[in-house]
Amino acid sequence: MRDWVQPLALALRFLSRLSFPGEDMARFQRDLPRGLMFFPLAGALLAGPTALVLLGAAQVFPLYLAVLLALGFDAWLGRGLHEDALADLCDGLGGGRTPEDVLRIMKDSAIGAFGALALGFALVLRAAALVAQDDPWRAALALVVAGAVARLLMLAVIWRVPALPGLGGSVAGAMDGRRFALAVLLALPVLGVGGWLSPGGMALALLGAAAFFIWYRALLLRRLGGANGDAMGAAACAGLVMVPLGFAAW
């Protein structure tokens, strides 16, 4: 059981502000690769409290306010990890001409116009797509499914795009086809919920994620020569948007 619980705890710790008794931060980075295949399952589990906030708020407020409150809680729980990555990446790609310029801009902690616009559009699209579900339970389930798909997309980037030096690179070396297949297997129950919720919407979300990955991989190779931690995290942010958009379209 420990072989499953500890890697899952590592995944939850990395993707959120959660901490666990007896946690040894000195070993965290070294042991994190063991938790990679649990990222999609951890993403779905972390979306659970956000879904509960949405359902609870929907008992008092209109759905659009409930969604905004839930997304605010989600940003707090996840430390804005993926949103920060999206903003950094878009600032770098928008303002840099060479790979060196892009990476230098991405390291700047200040947010620029490109990052602010990308982050704003992503949040508005995600919120609008959830509101378009027209039902709190459907929106809550879309959040949970999106949590899994987003991290599958993140793992696809980690696996199939050469890693640049840094934390992302140190983790990416442990990702291979076997671990990606296990991640998909662990996420299948959540994907099944999405298929039950809307077969067409789930199919659209997965097709959109696949098309995005093909385009995104080519972009990263052309502009950066690989992927760093921000590029990996931004992929997850894209997945969080695509799933509710797919369900909203069907």
Side-chain angles (χ1 to χ4, degrees):
M1 179 65 72
R2 183 178 175 83
D3 290 340
W4 288 74
V5 172
Q6 186 178 17
L8 178 58
L10 285 168
L12 290 169
R13 175 67 181 85
F14 180 81
L15 294 171
S16 73
R17 61 174 61 250
L18 298 178
S19 60
F20 300 93
E23 188 176 75
D24 183 359
M25 290 305 295
R27 297 177 54 190
F28 179 74
Q29 184 172 335
R30 188 192 72 191
D31 293 343
L32 180 61
R34 296 175 53 220
L36 285 175
M37 68 180 183
F38 289 90
F39 271 30
L41 179 58
L45 291 174
L46 290 170
T50 301
L52 290 176
V53 170
L54 191 155
L55 291 172
Q59 305 305 309
V60 181
F61 303 108
L63 182 57
Y64 73 91
L65 285 178
V67 164
L68 291 176
L69 289 171
L71 292 183
F73 174 82
D74 183 66
W76 172 83
L77 182 63
R79 297 177 288 119
L81 182 69
H82 303 318
E83 292 82 2
D84 179 67
L86 176 67
D88 286 344
L89 178 67
C90 290
D91 273 335
L93 294 176
R97 293 183 176 274
T98 67
E100 294 75 18
D101 285 340
V102 174
L103 291 171
R104 175 181 53 79
I105 294 171
M106 289 170 69
K107 290 178 181 178
D108 190 341
S109 59
I111 187 170
F114 291 105
L117 286 170
L119 185 56
F121 277 124
L123 291 173
V124 169
L125 281 173
R126 190 181 180 197
L130 290 169
V131 173
Q133 307 304 314
D134 289 330
D135 177 73
W137 278 100
R138 184 180 169 97
L141 290 175
L143 278 170
V144 174
V145 176
V149 173
R151 277 64 182 208
L152 276 175
L153 192 53
M154 181 180 181
L155 290 185
V157 172
I158 293 174
W159 175 34
R160 299 305 301 168
V161 182
L164 299 173
L167 174 59
S170 66
V171 172
M175 194 64 201
D176 55 23
R178 183 183 68 87
R179 281 185 169 169
F180 186 79
L182 288 171
V184 173
L185 185 64
L186 289 170
L188 278 180
V190 182
L191 301 183
V193 170
W196 167 80
L197 178 65
S198 172
M202 189 75 249
L204 281 175
L206 292 177
L207 285 172
F212 171 81
F213 171 74
I214 294 170
W215 169 82
Y216 190 58
R217 181 177 185 274
L219 174 71
L220 292 177
L221 291 175
R222 186 177 75 252
R223 296 294 309 275
L224 291 176
N228 62 1
D230 283 334
M232 297 167 189
C237 198
L240 292 173
V241 175
M242 283 181 188
V243 172
L245 281 176
F247 289 155
W250 200 279

